[in-house]
Each structure stands twice: as C-alpha cells, then as structure tokens.
Amino acid sequence: MNFKKNFNTMTWVLIPVAIAINVVVGQIVLTLKLPVFLDSIGTVLVGVLAGPWAGALTGLLTSIISGLAINPDSFNWWPVGLFIGFIAGLTAQFGLFRKSWTVVVSGFIIAITSALLSAPIQILAYGGISPWGISFIVSYFMKLNFTTEQSVVLANFISEPIDKIATALLAYSIIQGLSTRFLGRFSQNDLVDKDRRGKLTNIISAGIIIFLLLVLAFKLLSIIPE
Amino acid sequence: MVDRLSFYLKRSNWFYSLNPITKLTFIFCLLVTIYSSRNIYPPIYFSILVIILSFLAQIGKEFLKSVMKIALPTAGILFLMQSFMMQLGNSSIFEFFIFKLTIENISYAGISAARIFLMLISFLLFILSTHPSELMTDLTRRGLPGQLAYVVVSTLQILPQMQAKAAAIISAQRSRGLDTEGSLAKRVGALAPLVGPLVFGSLVEVEERAIAIEARAFMSTLKKTSLKEVADTRLDKTLRIALIAITVGAFLWR
C-alpha cells in the first residue's frame, strides 16, 4: 500500500490513456446500444497494474475530465469512480487478478462498492430518479411499494454486478494481451498472471456475452407486469 | 460523439480576467445555497443571474447554445422522468403501468430539474470562460503536483485523438461487414473487434511517451517556473471572501 510506489512515470503516462479509454469505450457501448455502461475499464486497468491509489486517482479524474469536456453531470459521481479504482487495486493485491474466475469475484466486489456509493448519490442529488436508464428499474421497485431508498439500493445491486464483472473481465483480457516487458514497468506486475496469456480471451468474451444475455433476460422479465 | 473537446472561447474582458478559483468559489456558493433548501425560486433567480453573467462576459450566444445542447436536455429528461416515476401524493392525474403523474411529483421534479439546470449551466459558464491549462497553471502555483496537471492537460489532448481513432475503427470494421446494429448478441460480438484495436493501439504509445517525458525531468520534485502567469488580484481575494460571507450570512439569517 505504498502511495509513492504506485506512481512511477509509466503510471503517470498510463492514466491519461486510461481516462480516455473510459470515456471512449463508454461512447462505443452507447453506439452499440448495449444495456451496460462499461465506462470504467481504464480505471480498473490502472488499479490492477499500478495499485489502489493510482486507480483511485484515475477514477476521480475521469469524472472531473468528463465533467469538464463532455457533461458537467459527471462531477456528481466522482466518489464512485474513485472507489472503483481503489477496490480494483486492492482485490489485485489479494491475488484476484491471477485467474479468470477470481476476476469475476473481484468484479463482484467492485460492483458492491460501486452500488453502495452510487445509491446515496442518486438519492441525495436526484431524489431517487436520475436522468439515467437505471431509474426505470428504481421506478419499478417503487411501484411494488418499496421506499425510495430501498428501490434505489435494490436497483443498483441488480444492475451493478453485471456491468462491473464485465468491466473486470475486459480489463483482465486487456492485461492478458499486453507484453511482459510492458507489464514489467508497473509496480503490481507480479500480481497478474503472465504465463497463459492469449488463450483465455475467447472464454472471456463468451463470459461477457452470457452476462449481457442475463441483462437482457432481466429487462424482458421486468417489462412483463405482474 | 462530441464535436469539440474544449468548450473554451477566447475573449478578453473583466470576467475572463477573474482568477479561476474565484469563479469556482462563486459556483460553489450558488450550489451550497440551492441545496440547503427545497425551494424553486433560488435556482431560478440564480439561473437568470448566470445567464446575465454570460452576456456580460460576451459569450451569451455560444453559452445559450451549449445550454440548449447539454443542460436543457438533461434537466428536461430529469423533469419528465421524476414527474412520472416518483411515487409522491395520491391523486394521480394519469396512471399507466409504472408511470404515475401527480401534482406532488411535478412540483418535486420541478425543483430537482431547476437545481440540476443551475448546476450544469454554472459549470458550463466556467468551462466556456476558463481554459483548462489556465486552471491547471493556477492550481500548480497553489501547490498541485505538476504530474497531476500533466494528466489533466494531456487527457484533454488524447481524448479527441482517441475519439477520432474510435470513429475510424468503427467505420473500418463496418466496411468489413461487422454488424453494429443487429441483434443484441451481434452487437455484443461487435464489442471486441472495436475495443481491442483501440485499446491496444493507444497503449503501445505509452512506453515511448514515458521515456520522452522522463528525459525532461518529469519526476523532478524541484520547483518549476511557469511560462504563463495567471493573475490573482486583490479584487479576486475580496470577491471570494465576500461570496463566502454572503453565503454563510444567508444561511444564518434563514
């Protein structure tokens, strides 16, 4: 957990690229109209490679920069990105980024963190219904006589795991595709599996498809009124 | 995708010569005031004030255009969604499936939308009138590490390049017959051929860039001098103290 060790020159140069990856992949996902965000792949990548502090900084700066350059609404969500990066770095320190199935566990832990943080923001800044797609799920729970707070928390706990597990798996498959020489320049390089890269990419993309299909299944179920 | 990355417009007048921190203090005071009470009037009055300020800063036309493009849609969607999806009050005007329209919902949504609208337009005024590097130079002078300033400024340069690259990759893959508009499974399948080249392509440059800036004493902790000076006049300091005093005063008085 050495703060200084996280930040060598490679980390400082990787952070801007990671922020751009967050934003641009988020936009590609929007173009493809997929039912997820996938807007924190870069944050998780930096957290895993360089450490929790560097990940936290990447997450924080992503909301500041997309607030400055795209939509000021992003400023509201800064704690979420910050903790996603931090927790991603921590889970990597516990060795969860060595195998693809433990990455799923890591993604789930990141999702819980993210849900716990975005729920209060959604309640405090927007009163529960924000101008984002998740509000349809929130509204559905409110209709079932849950309180606003319960609905927001439930909706977040449903939507976050799928998004964050897919994010963690994508970050993992990116790391698998990078050269040992490149990875060796980051402080946490010993925490990622360096031997079996490349082979898993197919399995991982299959995993992502399964998760997205689960999302679709959920969306279809929630449209049918009881 | 966004057509212009930095919102900054070049002008020279009194508003532009204010220190960035003074403008941020102003926004901060506005937001604290509107979020401390659930009342529709403060956000409306302040929004008018911000719009007047934009005209005084000679960017009124462009400012209103950005408001129409960014702030109005966000606030409008929020208003509609909250009016129909909150569950306040009992006398519904209109009810359908999960949607329910009541007077209480509308008044709640009105306040929320007005608040978000004010927040968005005050930040828009800030980013239209402040160049990112001006903000960073000023923050570095106040003790922000130079590396952080590097990250912000260089992200703002890399972002449009990556967006252009993404657009190129999307059209290249489409011309090879990649289906980006079909069924969900097809669109999920399109993710890897779009994200892969983009991410690996941009990570390749990282190492070269690291060597280049390392050769220019990037990690040096010695104090650096700046080419540009950002003014922080006595007027700025007085304004900041006055703004905070007025906000605290209004809070106590209420």
Side-chain angles (χ1 to χ4, degrees), chain B residues 151-204:
Chain B
V151 169
V152 175
V153 174
S154 106
T155 309
L156 291 172
Q157 283 168 359
I158 292 175
L159 206 48
Q161 294 171 10
M162 287 244 319
Q163 283 171 331
K165 210 187 269 177
I169 291 170
I170 290 177
S171 22
Q173 299 284 34
R174 269 185 190 152
S175 71
R176 289 179 57 230
L178 186 77
D179 189 355
T180 57
E181 277 148 10
S183 63
L184 184 75
K186 284 221 170 112
R187 283 180 280 136
V188 172
L191 197 60
L194 296 181
V195 171
L198 179 78
V199 169
F200 291 115
S202 43
L203 287 177
V204 166

Side-chain angles (χ1 to χ4, degrees), chain B residues 1 80 101 109 115 132 149 166 169 181 184 193 224 245:
Chain B
M1 309 221 166
L80 283 179
L101 186 68
R115 277 175 171 182
I169 291 170
E181 277 148 10
L184 184 75
K224 294 169 183 111

Side-chain angles (χ1 to χ4, degrees), chain B residues 8 10 19 33 83 88 95 108 145 154 166 182 210-211:
Chain B
Y8 180 72
K10 208 172 156 57
N19 188 278
T33 315
S83 317
L88 303 166
E95 207 169 339
Y108 189 92
S154 106
I211 296 166

Side-chain angles (χ1 to χ4, degrees), chain B residues 66-84:
Chain B
S66 313
V67 169
M68 293 292 179
K69 237 170 74 183
I70 295 165
L72 213 57
T74 310
I77 291 171
L78 182 71
F79 178 74
L80 283 179
M81 285 177 68
Q82 289 204 338
S83 317
F84 283 99

Side-chain angles (χ1 to χ4, degrees), chain A residues 7-10 12-21 23-25 27-29 31-35 38 41 45 57 61 64-65 67-76 123-133 135-137 139-140 142-143 148 170 173-178 181-182 185-186 205 208-209 212-213 216 222-225, chain B residues 1-2 4-7 35 70 74 77-78 81-82 84-87 95 97-100 108 112 115-116 119-121 123-124 126-127 132 135-136 145 147-148 150-156 158-159 162-163 166 170 174 179-181 184-185 187-192 194-195 198-200 202-207 209-211 213-214 218-219:
Chain A
F7 295 100
N8 56 27
T9 313
M10 274 299 266
W12 284 117
V13 180
L14 179 67
I15 290 174
V17 177
I19 297 171
I21 289 175
V23 175
V24 178
V25 173
Q27 287 172 338
I28 290 180
V29 169
T31 318
L32 291 175
K33 299 193 190 72
L34 299 181
L38 298 184
I41 295 174
L45 192 69
L57 182 73
L61 288 176
I64 293 180
I65 285 167
L68 282 174
I70 293 156
N71 189 338
D73 181 69
S74 313
F75 288 130
N76 282 340
I123 294 166
L124 291 175
Y126 301 96
I129 302 285
S130 67
W132 304 103
S135 301
F136 287 97
I137 309 178
S139 167
Y140 183 71
M142 282 162 91
K143 192 74 188 171
T148 313
L170 274 168
S173 50
I174 290 168
I175 293 169
Q176 294 294 309
L178 293 170
R181 201 179 87 98
F182 185 88
R185 297 198 56 173
F186 294 98
S205 28
I208 293 164
I209 295 172
L212 292 172
L213 287 175
L216 182 75
S222 69
I223 286 169
I224 303 162
Chain B
M1 309 221 166
V2 287
R4 180 178 52 174
L5 185 74
S6 177
F7 286 90
Y35 274 99
I70 295 165
T74 310
I77 291 171
L78 182 71
M81 285 177 68
Q82 289 204 338
F84 283 99
M85 285 157 69
M86 296 296 289
Q87 303 287 334
E95 207 169 339
F97 178 37
I98 57 169
F99 306 107
K100 184 174 145 191
Y108 189 92
S112 306
R115 277 175 171 182
I116 293 293
M119 190 201 100
L120 295 176
I121 67 168
F123 276 114
L124 275 177
F126 176 75
I127 56 188
L135 175 66
M136 284 304 135
Q147 284 90 348
L148 269 179
Y150 162 80
V151 169
V152 175
V153 174
S154 106
T155 309
L156 291 172
I158 292 175
L159 206 48
M162 287 244 319
Q163 283 171 331
I170 290 177
R174 269 185 190 152
D179 189 355
T180 57
E181 277 148 10
L184 184 75
R187 283 180 280 136
V188 172
L191 197 60
L194 296 181
V195 171
L198 179 78
V199 169
F200 291 115
S202 43
L203 287 177
V204 166
E205 298 158 11
V206 166
E207 204 174 4
R209 214 175 288 145
I211 296 166
I213 61 168
E214 212 151 53
F218 180 68
M219 294 300 274

Side-chain angles (χ1 to χ4, degrees), chain A residues 181-199:
Chain A
R181 201 179 87 98
F182 185 88
L183 293 176
R185 297 198 56 173
F186 294 98
S187 65
Q188 297 207 60
N189 67 75
D190 52 323
L191 299 171
V192 291
D193 176 30
K194 280 178 284 187
D195 304 325
R196 298 181 305 148
R197 79 180 40 108
K199 294 174 190 169

